[in-house]
Amino acid sequence: MKKNYLWEKVPDRLLLAQWLQKGEIVISETDTICGLLANITENSIEKLHRIKKDRGEKPYLILINSIRKLDDFVDTNTLTSQMLNVVKNCWPGPLTIIFKAKATVPDFLTSKKRTIALRCPKHEGIQELTRNFDGLFSTSANKSG
């Protein structure tokens, strides 16, 4: 795995986490893109919308740090053994999976159909960073469209 200089410097990692805690948007490499990261709050999603411009109804991907976090976001009654097998074999890794969201998940985290896109990245630095959060929004740094 390629090392990112930012992730090797502990003070920078702490600073990055502090910025995210304060609701700031940061740019970072992940295991699939160089993109924008934000804490999963309504304030942060509004900032992402202003940066990304017109995304329509498309929700943002959420990065989590472990399979155990599925219980926080996913209606586990809808998980089949095949789905769990895919999760266990592909996470951590570059696979985003769309699940049926738990009824208690706020609307701003889901699609209109109450689905939620989750990924458990393999990137060492992002793994470390996500341990400090319930999840992080992730999207490319490009404007929509």
Side-chain angles (χ1 to χ4, degrees):
M1 179 183 306
K2 183 179 123 183
K3 291 282 187 181
N4 179 336
Y5 181 66
L6 173 69
W7 294 110
E8 294 172 0
K9 296 171 66 178
V10 173
D12 288 344
R13 286 193 305 240
L14 296 175
L15 185 59
L16 194 60
Q18 288 171 353
W19 286 340
L20 289 164
Q21 287 286 358
K22 292 178 184 177
E24 299 297 332
I25 309 300
V26 300
I27 190 164
S28 176
E29 114 182 351
T30 68
D31 53 349
T32 57
I33 61 167
C34 182
L36 303 174
L37 301 177
N39 197 353
I40 55 170
T41 65
E42 283 188 88
N43 181 46
S44 294
I45 203 167
E46 289 171 14
K47 287 181 179 182
L48 282 173
H49 286 325
R50 285 194 299 271
I51 293 168
K52 294 288 287 187
K53 304 291 182 203
D54 183 25
R55 281 180 55 91
E57 301 292 323
K58 188 177 173 186
Y60 293 100
L61 156 71
I62 298 172
L63 301 177
I64 57 175
N65 71 335
S66 77
I67 293 171
R68 284 174 268 138
K69 283 282 191 179
L70 285 177
D71 289 337
D72 296 346
F73 297 100
V74 176
D75 178 352
T76 54
N77 294 325
T78 65
L79 294 177
T80 65
S81 59
Q82 291 89 350
M83 291 172 76
L84 288 172
N85 191 39
V86 168
V87 168
K88 289 176 184 173
N89 286 305
C90 296
W91 281 2
L95 178 67
T96 299
I97 304 175
I98 299 175
F99 298 96
K100 174 87 172 126
K102 224 177 186 175
T104 56
V105 171
D107 289 341
F108 71 91
L109 298 179
T110 71
S111 71
K112 287 209 178 253
K113 294 180 181 179
R114 295 290 301 158
T115 59
I116 190 163
L118 300 174
R119 179 184 298 159
C120 181
K122 193 170 188 170
H123 186 282
E124 189 177 306
I126 297 296
Q127 271 285 317
E128 182 180 329
L129 186 62
T130 55
R131 286 186 195 106
N132 298 298
F133 299 89
D134 292 332
L136 293 175
F137 289 124
S138 177
T139 184
S140 72
N142 304 330
K143 287 185 178 179
S144 297

